[in-house]
PDB file of all heavy atoms in Angstrom:
ATOM      1  N   GLY A 273     -68.271  19.344  23.895  1.00  0.00           N
ATOM      2  CA  GLY A 273     -69.177  18.212  23.666  1.00  0.00           C
ATOM      3  C   GLY A 273     -70.620  18.665  23.530  1.00  0.00           C
ATOM      4  O   GLY A 273     -71.550  17.877  23.712  1.00  0.00           O
ATOM      5  N   MET A 274     -70.813  19.940  23.201  1.00  0.00           N
ATOM      6  CA  MET A 274     -72.156  20.515  23.077  1.00  0.00           C
ATOM      7  C   MET A 274     -72.366  21.018  21.656  1.00  0.00           C
ATOM      8  O   MET A 274     -71.420  21.202  20.900  1.00  0.00           O
ATOM      9  CB  MET A 274     -72.323  21.661  24.074  1.00  0.00           C
ATOM     10  CG  MET A 274     -72.150  21.240  25.517  1.00  0.00           C
ATOM     11  SD  MET A 274     -72.296  22.659  26.630  1.00  0.00           S
ATOM     12  CE  MET A 274     -71.445  22.040  28.080  1.00  0.00           C
ATOM     13  N   GLU A 275     -73.629  21.244  21.310  1.00  0.00           N
ATOM     14  CA  GLU A 275     -73.970  21.750  19.987  1.00  0.00           C
ATOM     15  C   GLU A 275     -73.809  23.259  19.936  1.00  0.00           C
ATOM     16  O   GLU A 275     -74.116  23.965  20.903  1.00  0.00           O
ATOM     17  CB  GLU A 275     -75.422  21.392  19.636  1.00  0.00           C
ATOM     18  CG  GLU A 275     -75.657  19.910  19.478  1.00  0.00           C
ATOM     19  CD  GLU A 275     -77.111  19.570  19.212  1.00  0.00           C
ATOM     20  OE1 GLU A 275     -77.950  20.493  19.053  1.00  0.00           O
ATOM     21  OE2 GLU A 275     -77.415  18.365  19.157  1.00  0.00           O
ATOM     22  N   TYR A 276     -73.376  23.742  18.770  1.00  0.00           N
ATOM     23  CA  TYR A 276     -73.266  25.177  18.563  1.00  0.00           C
ATOM     24  C   TYR A 276     -74.669  25.790  18.680  1.00  0.00           C
ATOM     25  O   TYR A 276     -75.623  25.276  18.121  1.00  0.00           O
ATOM     26  CB  TYR A 276     -72.666  25.464  17.191  1.00  0.00           C
ATOM     27  CG  TYR A 276     -72.337  26.909  16.988  1.00  0.00           C
ATOM     28  CD1 TYR A 276     -71.246  27.478  17.625  1.00  0.00           C
ATOM     29  CD2 TYR A 276     -73.116  27.714  16.175  1.00  0.00           C
ATOM     30  CE1 TYR A 276     -70.932  28.810  17.452  1.00  0.00           C
ATOM     31  CE2 TYR A 276     -72.813  29.053  15.997  1.00  0.00           C
ATOM     32  CZ  TYR A 276     -71.719  29.594  16.638  1.00  0.00           C
ATOM     33  OH  TYR A 276     -71.415  30.917  16.476  1.00  0.00           O
ATOM     34  N   GLY A 277     -74.788  26.862  19.425  1.00  0.00           N
ATOM     35  CA  GLY A 277     -76.086  27.486  19.646  1.00  0.00           C
ATOM     36  C   GLY A 277     -76.774  26.945  20.879  1.00  0.00           C
ATOM     37  O   GLY A 277     -77.833  27.424  21.265  1.00  0.00           O
ATOM     38  N   GLY A 278     -76.185  25.953  21.524  1.00  0.00           N
ATOM     39  CA  GLY A 278     -76.782  25.376  22.735  1.00  0.00           C
ATOM     40  C   GLY A 278     -75.789  25.278  23.879  1.00  0.00           C
ATOM     41  O   GLY A 278     -76.078  24.676  24.912  1.00  0.00           O
ATOM     42  N   ILE A 279     -74.608  25.862  23.717  1.00  0.00           N
ATOM     43  CA  ILE A 279     -73.570  25.749  24.747  1.00  0.00           C
ATOM     44  C   ILE A 279     -74.062  26.383  26.047  1.00  0.00           C
ATOM     45  O   ILE A 279     -74.634  27.464  26.053  1.00  0.00           O
ATOM     46  CB  ILE A 279     -72.246  26.366  24.262  1.00  0.00           C
ATOM     47  CG1 ILE A 279     -71.703  25.534  23.099  1.00  0.00           C
ATOM     48  CG2 ILE A 279     -71.222  26.441  25.397  1.00  0.00           C
ATOM     49  CD1 ILE A 279     -70.453  26.080  22.444  1.00  0.00           C
ATOM     50  N   THR A 280     -73.838  25.658  27.125  1.00  0.00           N
ATOM     51  CA  THR A 280     -74.297  26.073  28.451  1.00  0.00           C
ATOM     52  C   THR A 280     -73.121  26.066  29.413  1.00  0.00           C
ATOM     53  O   THR A 280     -72.151  25.323  29.196  1.00  0.00           O
ATOM     54  CB  THR A 280     -75.422  25.131  28.945  1.00  0.00           C
ATOM     55  OG1 THR A 280     -75.892  25.592  30.212  1.00  0.00           O
ATOM     56  CG2 THR A 280     -74.952  23.692  29.085  1.00  0.00           C
ATOM     57  N   PRO A 281     -73.181  26.866  30.474  1.00  0.00           N
ATOM     58  CA  PRO A 281     -72.079  26.833  31.443  1.00  0.00           C
ATOM     59  C   PRO A 281     -72.076  25.559  32.299  1.00  0.00           C
ATOM     60  O   PRO A 281     -71.080  25.251  32.934  1.00  0.00           O
ATOM     61  CB  PRO A 281     -72.326  28.075  32.303  1.00  0.00           C
ATOM     62  CG  PRO A 281     -73.771  28.379  32.145  1.00  0.00           C
ATOM     63  CD  PRO A 281     -74.148  27.920  30.767  1.00  0.00           C
ATOM     64  N   ILE A 282     -73.148  24.802  32.290  1.00  0.00           N
ATOM     65  CA  ILE A 282     -73.234  23.579  33.086  1.00  0.00           C
ATOM     66  C   ILE A 282     -72.637  22.425  32.281  1.00  0.00           C
ATOM     67  O   ILE A 282     -73.106  22.124  31.193  1.00  0.00           O
ATOM     68  CB  ILE A 282     -74.699  23.285  33.474  1.00  0.00           C
ATOM     69  CG1 ILE A 282     -75.223  24.416  34.357  1.00  0.00           C
ATOM     70  CG2 ILE A 282     -74.827  21.935  34.165  1.00  0.00           C
ATOM     71  CD1 ILE A 282     -76.700  24.333  34.658  1.00  0.00           C
ATOM     72  N   GLY A 283     -71.585  21.818  32.823  1.00  0.00           N
ATOM     73  CA  GLY A 283     -70.967  20.682  32.150  1.00  0.00           C
ATOM     74  C   GLY A 283     -69.732  21.020  31.337  1.00  0.00           C
ATOM     75  O   GLY A 283     -69.250  20.188  30.575  1.00  0.00           O
ATOM     76  N   LEU A 284     -69.209  22.198  31.503  1.00  0.00           N
ATOM     77  CA  LEU A 284     -67.985  22.568  30.794  1.00  0.00           C
ATOM     78  C   LEU A 284     -66.786  21.843  31.406  1.00  0.00           C
ATOM     79  O   LEU A 284     -66.858  21.367  32.542  1.00  0.00           O
ATOM     80  CB  LEU A 284     -67.768  24.081  30.893  1.00  0.00           C
ATOM     81  CG  LEU A 284     -68.779  24.937  30.122  1.00  0.00           C
ATOM     82  CD1 LEU A 284     -68.602  26.399  30.486  1.00  0.00           C
ATOM     83  CD2 LEU A 284     -68.624  24.730  28.624  1.00  0.00           C
ATOM     84  N   PRO A 285     -65.675  21.757  30.676  1.00  0.00           N
ATOM     85  CA  PRO A 285     -64.479  21.139  31.252  1.00  0.00           C
ATOM     86  C   PRO A 285     -64.119  21.785  32.595  1.00  0.00           C
ATOM     87  O   PRO A 285     -64.151  23.019  32.734  1.00  0.00           O
ATOM     88  CB  PRO A 285     -63.406  21.403  30.185  1.00  0.00           C
ATOM     89  CG  PRO A 285     -64.183  21.471  28.893  1.00  0.00           C
ATOM     90  CD  PRO A 285     -65.477  22.161  29.275  1.00  0.00           C
ATOM     91  N   ALA A 286     -63.788  20.967  33.575  1.00  0.00           N
ATOM     92  CA  ALA A 286     -63.577  21.429  34.952  1.00  0.00           C
ATOM     93  C   ALA A 286     -62.424  22.416  35.101  1.00  0.00           C
ATOM     94  O   ALA A 286     -62.427  23.222  36.031  1.00  0.00           O
ATOM     95  CB  ALA A 286     -63.360  20.229  35.875  1.00  0.00           C
ATOM     96  N   ASP A 287     -61.460  22.384  34.183  1.00  0.00           N
ATOM     97  CA  ASP A 287     -60.310  23.275  34.308  1.00  0.00           C
ATOM     98  C   ASP A 287     -60.499  24.619  33.604  1.00  0.00           C
ATOM     99  O   ASP A 287     -59.610  25.453  33.613  1.00  0.00           O
ATOM    100  CB  ASP A 287     -59.044  22.581  33.806  1.00  0.00           C
ATOM    101  CG  ASP A 287     -59.124  22.155  32.347  1.00  0.00           C
ATOM    102  OD1 ASP A 287     -60.245  22.015  31.801  1.00  0.00           O
ATOM    103  OD2 ASP A 287     -58.060  21.958  31.739  1.00  0.00           O
ATOM    104  N   TRP A 288     -61.664  24.837  33.018  1.00  0.00           N
ATOM    105  CA  TRP A 288     -61.915  26.103  32.328  1.00  0.00           C
ATOM    106  C   TRP A 288     -62.337  27.192  33.311  1.00  0.00           C
ATOM    107  O   TRP A 288     -63.164  26.956  34.206  1.00  0.00           O
ATOM    108  CB  TRP A 288     -63.069  25.950  31.348  1.00  0.00           C
ATOM    109  CG  TRP A 288     -62.730  25.328  30.046  1.00  0.00           C
ATOM    110  CD1 TRP A 288     -61.679  24.503  29.762  1.00  0.00           C
ATOM    111  CD2 TRP A 288     -63.488  25.459  28.851  1.00  0.00           C
ATOM    112  NE1 TRP A 288     -61.738  24.121  28.454  1.00  0.00           N
ATOM    113  CE2 TRP A 288     -62.839  24.689  27.872  1.00  0.00           C
ATOM    114  CE3 TRP A 288     -64.647  26.142  28.518  1.00  0.00           C
ATOM    115  CZ2 TRP A 288     -63.312  24.592  26.572  1.00  0.00           C
ATOM    116  CZ3 TRP A 288     -65.123  26.048  27.222  1.00  0.00           C
ATOM    117  CH2 TRP A 288     -64.451  25.279  26.262  1.00  0.00           C
ATOM    118  N   PRO A 289     -61.868  28.418  33.094  1.00  0.00           N
ATOM    119  CA  PRO A 289     -62.489  29.541  33.797  1.00  0.00           C
ATOM    120  C   PRO A 289     -63.902  29.746  33.227  1.00  0.00           C
ATOM    121  O   PRO A 289     -64.108  29.629  32.014  1.00  0.00           O
ATOM    122  CB  PRO A 289     -61.591  30.736  33.434  1.00  0.00           C
ATOM    123  CG  PRO A 289     -60.321  30.153  32.894  1.00  0.00           C
ATOM    124  CD  PRO A 289     -60.690  28.818  32.323  1.00  0.00           C
ATOM    125  N   VAL A 290     -64.847  30.017  34.107  1.00  0.00           N
ATOM    126  CA  VAL A 290     -66.217  30.329  33.696  1.00  0.00           C
ATOM    127  C   VAL A 290     -66.518  31.713  34.266  1.00  0.00           C
ATOM    128  O   VAL A 290     -66.751  31.862  35.470  1.00  0.00           O
ATOM    129  CB  VAL A 290     -67.234  29.283  34.207  1.00  0.00           C
ATOM    130  CG1 VAL A 290     -68.649  29.664  33.779  1.00  0.00           C
ATOM    131  CG2 VAL A 290     -66.867  27.887  33.703  1.00  0.00           C
ATOM    132  N   LEU A 291     -66.457  32.716  33.414  1.00  0.00           N
ATOM    133  CA  LEU A 291     -66.697  34.096  33.829  1.00  0.00           C
ATOM    134  C   LEU A 291     -68.186  34.377  33.703  1.00  0.00           C
ATOM    135  O   LEU A 291     -68.759  34.216  32.627  1.00  0.00           O
ATOM    136  CB  LEU A 291     -65.884  35.054  32.962  1.00  0.00           C
ATOM    137  CG  LEU A 291     -64.377  34.752  32.855  1.00  0.00           C
ATOM    138  CD1 LEU A 291     -63.692  35.766  31.941  1.00  0.00           C
ATOM    139  CD2 LEU A 291     -63.732  34.716  34.223  1.00  0.00           C
ATOM    140  N   VAL A 292     -68.808  34.778  34.810  1.00  0.00           N
ATOM    141  CA  VAL A 292     -70.251  35.001  34.843  1.00  0.00           C
ATOM    142  C   VAL A 292     -70.514  36.446  35.224  1.00  0.00           C
ATOM    143  O   VAL A 292     -70.050  36.912  36.279  1.00  0.00           O
ATOM    144  CB  VAL A 292     -70.941  34.060  35.866  1.00  0.00           C
ATOM    145  CG1 VAL A 292     -72.451  34.235  35.817  1.00  0.00           C
ATOM    146  CG2 VAL A 292     -70.550  32.605  35.630  1.00  0.00           C
ATOM    147  N   ASP A 293     -71.231  37.166  34.373  1.00  0.00           N
ATOM    148  CA  ASP A 293     -71.558  38.553  34.677  1.00  0.00           C
ATOM    149  C   ASP A 293     -72.412  38.610  35.944  1.00  0.00           C
ATOM    150  O   ASP A 293     -73.320  37.795  36.132  1.00  0.00           O
ATOM    151  CB  ASP A 293     -72.308  39.188  33.505  1.00  0.00           C
ATOM    152  CG  ASP A 293     -72.422  40.684  33.670  1.00  0.00           C
ATOM    153  OD1 ASP A 293     -73.305  41.126  34.440  1.00  0.00           O
ATOM    154  OD2 ASP A 293     -71.650  41.417  33.044  1.00  0.00           O
ATOM    155  N   ALA A 294     -72.124  39.574  36.801  1.00  0.00           N
ATOM    156  CA  ALA A 294     -72.848  39.722  38.065  1.00  0.00           C
ATOM    157  C   ALA A 294     -74.349  39.890  37.841  1.00  0.00           C
ATOM    158  O   ALA A 294     -75.158  39.425  38.660  1.00  0.00           O
ATOM    159  CB  ALA A 294     -72.290  40.906  38.854  1.00  0.00           C
ATOM    160  N   ALA A 295     -74.742  40.520  36.744  1.00  0.00           N
ATOM    161  CA  ALA A 295     -76.173  40.713  36.458  1.00  0.00           C
ATOM    162  C   ALA A 295     -76.883  39.382  36.242  1.00  0.00           C
ATOM    163  O   ALA A 295     -78.073  39.252  36.545  1.00  0.00           O
ATOM    164  CB  ALA A 295     -76.352  41.612  35.233  1.00  0.00           C
ATOM    165  N   VAL A 296     -76.183  38.375  35.749  1.00  0.00           N
ATOM    166  CA  VAL A 296     -76.769  37.044  35.558  1.00  0.00           C
ATOM    167  C   VAL A 296     -76.995  36.380  36.906  1.00  0.00           C
ATOM    168  O   VAL A 296     -78.045  35.793  37.164  1.00  0.00           O
ATOM    169  CB  VAL A 296     -75.853  36.182  34.654  1.00  0.00           C
ATOM    170  CG1 VAL A 296     -76.348  34.742  34.586  1.00  0.00           C
ATOM    171  CG2 VAL A 296     -75.750  36.778  33.262  1.00  0.00           C
ATOM    172  N   VAL A 297     -76.016  36.476  37.776  1.00  0.00           N
ATOM    173  CA  VAL A 297     -76.084  35.847  39.102  1.00  0.00           C
ATOM    174  C   VAL A 297     -77.220  36.447  39.932  1.00  0.00           C
ATOM    175  O   VAL A 297     -77.835  35.750  40.747  1.00  0.00           O
ATOM    176  CB  VAL A 297     -74.727  35.989  39.834  1.00  0.00           C
ATOM    177  CG1 VAL A 297     -74.797  35.475  41.261  1.00  0.00           C
ATOM    178  CG2 VAL A 297     -73.637  35.258  39.054  1.00  0.00           C
TER     179      VAL A 297
END
Side-chain angles (χ1 to χ4, degrees):
M274 300 178 201
E275 294 177 5
Y276 188 73
I279 294 176
T280 183
I282 297 173
L284 291 170
D287 60 339
W288 280 23
V290 179
L291 308 179
V292 184
D293 191 281
V296 173
V297 174

